[in-house]
């Protein structure tokens, strides 16, 4: 089992910044990849960014150049730095972990943290 606890959401004005954090109950190295998804009202959950156990990162085109995913392996925590926020970034942001053990892939989700971008 992997438990994920998100923090860092809130209300910010357009152009502002927020940093989300996702703390895991296991070593990051035991998790194949961790990432962030978001879900806006009335929309499907969508991929935002991902970082593998080896440290490779990927981000969605919609946030490229504005959002950065990183990790602190000593704290078993993954971060999502969000800069130049836009109203369309408003959503509930979910931390995600993919773990492959014995050929079985298991997906874990955090409880979500609300991000609201508004003036």
């Amino acid at each position: 089992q992997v438990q994920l606890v998100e923090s860092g959401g809130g209300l910010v004005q357009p152009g502002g910044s927020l940093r989300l954090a996702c703390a895991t109950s296991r070593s990051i190295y035991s998790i194949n990849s961790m990432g962030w998804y978001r879900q806006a009202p009335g929309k499907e959950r969508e991929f935002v960014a991902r970082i593998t156990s080896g440290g490779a990162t990927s981000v969605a085109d919609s946030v490229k150049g504005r959002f950065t995913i990183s990790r602190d392996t000593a704290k078993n925590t993954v971060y999502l730095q969000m800069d130049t926020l836009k109203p369309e970034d408003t959503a509930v942001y979910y931390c995600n972990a993919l773990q492959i053990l014995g050929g079985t892939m298991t997906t874990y989700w955090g409880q979500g943290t609300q991000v609201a971008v508004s003036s």
Side-chain angles (χ1 to χ4, degrees), residues 28-49:
I28 281 182
Y29 294 118
S30 72
I31 302 170
N32 294 81
S33 72
M34 293 187 63
W36 292 92
Y37 286 71
R38 67 186 182 185
Q39 187 166 20
K43 294 188 176 182
E44 294 188 353
R45 192 172 297 189
E46 65 175 2
F47 167 77
V48 176

Side-chain angles (χ1 to χ4, degrees), residues 2-7 20-26 28 31 34 36 72 75-79 95 110-111:
V2 176
Q3 294 180 329
L4 306 171
V5 179
E6 301 118 328
S7 61
L20 305 183
C22 175
T24 76
S25 59
R26 294 285 190 95
I28 281 182
I31 302 170
M34 293 187 63
W36 292 92
D72 184 333
K75 296 181 178 180
N76 293 323
T77 299
V78 172
Y79 301 97
C95 182
Q111 80 282 1

Side-chain angles (χ1 to χ4, degrees), residues 32-92:
N32 294 81
S33 72
M34 293 187 63
W36 292 92
Y37 286 71
R38 67 186 182 185
Q39 187 166 20
K43 294 188 176 182
E44 294 188 353
R45 192 172 297 189
E46 65 175 2
F47 167 77
V48 176
R50 177 161 299 282
I51 185 166
T52 70
S53 57
T57 62
S58 61
V59 296
D61 288 342
S62 59
V63 305
K64 195 166 292 183
R66 301 188 298 120
F67 290 12
T68 305
I69 189 169
S70 63
R71 66 184 183 180
D72 184 333
T73 56
K75 296 181 178 180
N76 293 323
T77 299
V78 172
Y79 301 97
L80 184 68
Q81 178 66 42
M82 305 185 294
D83 298 318
T84 319
L85 282 160
K86 304 176 181 179
E88 51 263 42
D89 294 318
T90 295
V92 177

